[in-house]
Amino acid sequence: MAKIITISREFGSGGRIIAEKTAEKLGFRYYDKEIINTAAEKSGLSKNIIREVGEYASSTSSLLFNLSISNTLGGGNMSMYDSVFTAQSKVIKQFADEGNCVILGRCADYILRDYDECIHIFIRSDVQSRIDRIVNVYKEGGDSPEKLLREKDKRRRVYYKNYTGLNWGDSGNYHVVLDSGYIGVEKCAEIIADIAKIK
Amino acid sequence: MAKIITISREFGSGGRIIAEKTAEKLGFRYYDKEIINTAAEKSGLSKNIIREVGEYASSTSSLLFNLSISNTLGGGNMSMYDSVFTAQSKVIKQFADEGNCVILGRCADYILRDYDECIHIFIRSDVQSRIDRIVNVYKEGGDSPEKLLREKDKRRRVYYKNYTGLNWGDSGNYHVVLDSGYIGVEKCAEIIADIAKIK
């Protein structure tokens, strides 16, 4: 059985709930916010900083933002983005070494690319299903949920590209890609757990 | 239940056998070579021409090849590539209108993009699994199966781009992407049939 499942996702695709359900079905630990908490504890960086820069490129220029945060906090050779990436990477590897877990986002597929017994998932969906979820489930987006969706996707895409050199959502990076709007979150979790069991 | 399943695939990924197994599990018709035969009958084009240009861009320059075949055969305003694409598109739509079928390759996902009750699948795999399949199952590739694999993928990618404007294998074009080397062809067919049943 695969012992580690990484789940990457488009914003509004329900990737988080799929990850939680998959972990529940398999009796695996589920890591999302705990990555932030543990990385903060171990690195001394604040949880807010890790939450803000730990999965998204800046909404303006990532380079400018990088320099500005680095300067503000008196960063040395390493930018704040790099410090957060390094801190999160260490925590993700530590969790993976402990086995049997589902890890959400944060380039975990790339960080654990050389780990055996690891299955990499990407959850996507059509724009309308994602807007419906953002508005009705997340209660976000205000007057322009589509703008929020495109902005968040863009920032995740740039962040992923910066740290992996790969294209976020490129099917070649994952063992399974599922359209949650078409398949439904419950069935997605069932399929992932099922594949994990046979591997 | 989804009535039409399109399956696109990387060369050597076992997409054809997965498509056959999926059709068998669901009791659906399976269309692959029959698209060539029917398109030949209806268009008057030869089966060999359709087989050669119906899914692959030329191995050299597709534009040059296009012009050369068009001139050789006295093509009018439409190039041979375009004639084959049009002939195959008509046949694919005809098969889809008859319902309950699995269609392999030939940009069927794009041709049927506006059809309801249609599920689009992409089968991929790691390079080593594909080389193993090309050598051991297809008995192809000679001394350089990896070269053959890269060449065929490239020609499919260019063909797909030419006729759809989209990127072949981009996860956004499909409801499901599966790594057959990791999951296994039998399990891939099982997952696809299972999803088709619930939709």
Side-chain angles (χ1 to χ4, degrees):
Chain A
M1 186 194 276
K3 290 185 174 163
I4 305 147
I5 301 171
T6 71
I7 299 190
S8 310
R9 78 291 186 209
E10 291 180 339
F11 182 63
S13 69
R16 173 173 285 119
I17 183 74
I18 291 169
E20 286 172 357
K21 282 176 182 284
T22 303
E24 199 181 309
K25 283 177 194 297
L26 292 167
F28 278 21
R29 285 180 296 273
Y30 165 65
Y31 293 122
D32 173 15
K33 292 191 176 61
E34 201 167 333
I35 298 170
I36 297 172
N37 299 340
T38 311
E41 272 171 33
K42 288 185 180 273
S43 67
L45 297 163
S46 88
K47 288 182 192 174
N48 281 343
I49 288 284
I50 295 178
R51 192 176 299 111
E52 175 61 22
V53 308
E55 199 166 27
Y56 295 106
S58 159
S59 57
T60 54
S61 155
S62 76
L63 178 63
L64 282 175
F65 187 63
N66 228 339
L67 289 171
S68 114
I69 292 218
S70 182
N71 288 338
T72 306
L73 299 175
N77 290 328
M78 203 181 261
S79 77
M80 182 52 58
Y81 270 94
D82 291 346
S83 300
V84 170
F85 184 79
T86 304
Q88 288 197 141
S89 296
K90 281 184 189 167
V91 171
I92 285 169
K93 285 180 178 174
Q94 177 199 316
F95 289 158
D97 287 336
E98 292 166 10
N100 289 6
C101 62
V102 177
I103 301 174
L104 186 72
R106 297 178 181 80
C107 305
D109 57 298
Y110 179 79
I111 291 161
L112 302 177
R113 66 194 178 282
D114 295 328
Y115 276 60
D116 292 332
E117 302 177 319
C118 205
I119 175 168
H120 304 302
I121 312 286
F122 188 79
I123 305 292
R124 56 163 301 273
S125 187
D126 63 289
V127 170
Q128 192 53 54
S129 298
R130 294 161 63 199
I131 288 175
D132 291 348
R133 178 172 295 274
I134 291 165
V135 173
N136 300 323
V137 183
Y138 304 168
K139 311 288 184 195
E140 285 187 64
D143 292 338
S144 52
E146 187 165 354
K147 195 177 160 194
L148 178 67
L149 174 159
R150 296 203 185 283
E151 174 70 12
K152 287 240 188 189
D153 276 357
K154 185 180 167 192
R155 291 175 63 192
R156 279 186 189 161
R157 188 179 304 115
V158 172
Y159 183 87
Y160 189 84
K161 184 77 176 183
N162 279 349
Y163 283 104
T164 70
L166 302 172
N167 293 321
W168 180 72
D170 183 325
S171 59
N173 304 336
Y174 311 96
H175 296 112
V176 182
V177 181
L178 298 173
D179 177 336
S180 61
Y182 185 83
I183 297 168
V185 295
E186 189 62 45
K187 190 71 188 174
C188 284
E190 201 180 289
I191 291 167
I192 300 164
D194 188 34
I195 293 172
K197 279 179 193 161
I198 60 160
K199 288 303 296 183
Chain B
M1 186 194 277
K3 289 185 174 164
I4 305 148
I5 301 170
T6 71
I7 299 188
S8 310
R9 77 294 186 207
E10 290 180 340
F11 182 65
S13 69
R16 173 172 284 121
I17 183 75
I18 292 170
E20 286 171 356
K21 283 177 182 283
T22 303
E24 197 181 311
K25 283 178 194 295
L26 292 167
F28 278 21
R29 286 180 295 273
Y30 165 65
Y31 293 123
D32 172 15
K33 293 193 176 60
E34 200 167 333
I35 298 170
I36 297 172
N37 298 341
T38 311
E41 274 171 31
K42 288 185 180 276
S43 67
L45 296 163
S46 88
K47 288 181 192 175
N48 282 343
I49 288 284
I50 295 178
R51 193 176 298 113
E52 175 61 23
V53 309
E55 200 166 26
Y56 296 105
S58 159
S59 57
T60 54
S61 154
S62 79
L63 178 63
L64 281 176
F65 188 63
N66 227 340
L67 289 171
S68 113
I69 292 220
S70 182
N71 289 338
T72 306
L73 299 176
N77 291 327
M78 203 182 261
S79 76
M80 182 53 59
Y81 270 95
D82 292 346
S83 300
V84 169
F85 184 79
T86 303
Q88 288 198 140
S89 296
K90 281 184 189 166
V91 170
I92 285 169
K93 285 181 178 174
Q94 177 201 316
F95 289 158
D97 287 337
E98 292 166 9
N100 289 5
C101 61
V102 176
I103 301 175
L104 186 72
R106 297 178 180 82
C107 306
D109 57 298
Y110 179 78
I111 292 162
L112 302 177
R113 66 195 177 283
D114 295 328
Y115 276 59
D116 292 332
E117 301 177 320
C118 203
I119 176 168
H120 303 301
I121 312 287
F122 188 79
I123 305 293
R124 56 163 300 272
S125 188
D126 63 287
V127 169
Q128 192 53 54
S129 298
R130 293 161 63 198
I131 288 174
D132 291 347
R133 178 172 294 275
I134 291 165
V135 173
N136 301 323
V137 183
Y138 304 168
K139 311 288 182 195
E140 287 187 62
D143 291 338
S144 53
E146 186 166 354
K147 195 176 160 195
L148 178 68
L149 175 158
R150 297 203 184 283
E151 174 70 14
K152 287 239 188 190
D153 275 358
K154 185 180 166 193
R155 291 175 62 192
R156 281 186 188 161
R157 188 178 304 114
V158 172
Y159 183 86
Y160 190 83
K161 184 77 175 184
N162 279 349
Y163 282 104
T164 70
L166 302 172
N167 294 320
W168 181 72
D170 182 325
S171 60
N173 304 337
Y174 311 96
H175 295 113
V176 182
V177 181
L178 298 173
D179 178 336
S180 61
Y182 185 82
I183 298 168
V185 295
E186 189 62 44
K187 189 70 187 173
C188 284
E190 201 180 290
I191 291 167
I192 299 164
D194 189 34
I195 293 173
K197 279 180 193 161
I198 60 160
K199 288 303 298 182

